[in-house]
Amino acid sequence: MNKVIRPVLFFGLAVLPMAALAQTLPLTQDSFVVTNPANGANYGNTTTINVGGPLASQALVQFDLSSLPAGTTAANVAKATLTLFVNYVGAAGTINFSVANGAWTESTVSGNTGPSPAAAVASGISVTKAGSYVTVDATAAVQAWLNGTTNSGFIITPNDGTVSIAFDSKESTTTSHPAGLTVALTSSGPTGATGPTGVTGATGATGTTGFTGPTGPAGSTGATGAAGVTDRKSTRLN
């Protein structure tokens, strides 16, 4: 089923904040799946990723963390921000962001094979106007992935029975604002490896001999000792 792209008017688009030492990670894949009822259709090449509506659509996005500096750990992540551009609002409402609980592929994922929501990222996020950005704090999710949890991306689901919206996908050629994940690091990168020990320097010159101190004064003469006892036996023999 092809999605209808509606024209969007832009009024004062928000400017994304750029933090020091921040890096926007590559968006590797995005899609959406239909869950009401679930079917085998794939929407990986469409220009929007839909959430809600009568088909209870769910959007999927995934980013490449390998572009972060080598050795980056969860402790290096000060903040991670997930941003999506609202292309169309059929009905205002609220949506949920979670990490996806399993692997999926943009070209094959469908309502029959798509992942389900796992750990919550943000809940009850209101979407009311097209031509605006939605941002959520995804720090905990990125830190968990850097700690070894499998990165299966994010899944965006309707929070109520009313919302019907569409975000730009990376295939959009009109508004062209695909999802972004910006990671601010606590430093320019992890500490590098210790360098090799330097060459031993030359031995320094021998220092000059120190001055001999003056001779100390002679000590006083000690007292005369007592006279020894004469041996009587030796006297008689003489």
Side-chain angles (χ1 to χ4, degrees):
M1 182 180 70
N2 293 326
K3 293 176 288 186
V4 177
I5 306 302
R6 291 171 169 77
V8 179
L9 297 179
F10 299 92
F11 298 99
L13 295 182
V15 178
L16 296 182
M18 294 300 292
L21 304 176
Q23 180 175 342
T24 299
L25 306 186
L27 173 64
T28 56
Q29 55 180 3
D30 57 10
S31 186
F32 76 93
V33 297
V34 169
T35 65
N36 185 30
N39 64 55
N42 172 259
Y43 301 96
N45 63 351
T46 53
T47 58
T48 62
I49 50 176
N50 300 351
V51 180
L55 300 179
S57 300
Q58 300 179 353
L60 294 161
V61 293
Q62 188 174 27
F63 300 86
D64 181 10
L65 270 65
S66 68
S67 63
L68 290 170
T72 298
T73 67
N76 297 125
V77 177
K79 188 172 183 179
T81 303
L82 174 63
T83 303
L84 295 100
F85 179 77
V86 182
N87 177 288
Y88 165 72
V89 174
T94 55
I95 58 177
N96 297 330
F97 291 79
S98 307
V99 294
N101 74 341
W104 55 279
T105 302
E106 178 180 279
S107 60
T108 61
V109 67
S110 70
N112 294 330
T113 63
S116 300
V121 174
S123 302
I125 303 301
S126 178
V127 182
T128 61
K129 185 176 69 173
S132 62
Y133 288 97
V134 173
T135 61
V136 296
D137 188 335
T139 305
V142 173
Q143 289 175 333
W145 291 332
L146 290 172
N147 276 334
T149 301
T150 299
N151 170 19
S152 296
F154 300 95
I155 183 169
I156 308 161
T157 57
N159 183 59
D160 54 39
T162 303
V163 68
S164 178
I165 64 173
F167 295 110
D168 266 12
S169 76
K170 61 183 176 61
E171 285 78 20
S172 173
T173 57
T174 53
T175 48
S176 303
H177 298 299
L181 181 61
T182 302
V183 179
L185 302 177
T186 55
S187 65
S188 57
T191 302
T194 302
T197 303
V199 178
T200 303
T203 303
T206 303
T208 56
T209 302
F211 294 102
T212 302
T215 302
S220 58
T221 303
T224 303
V229 179
T230 302
D231 188 339
R232 294 180 181 179
K233 181 178 180 181
S234 298
T235 301
R236 284 196 299 271
L237 291 176
N238 292 334

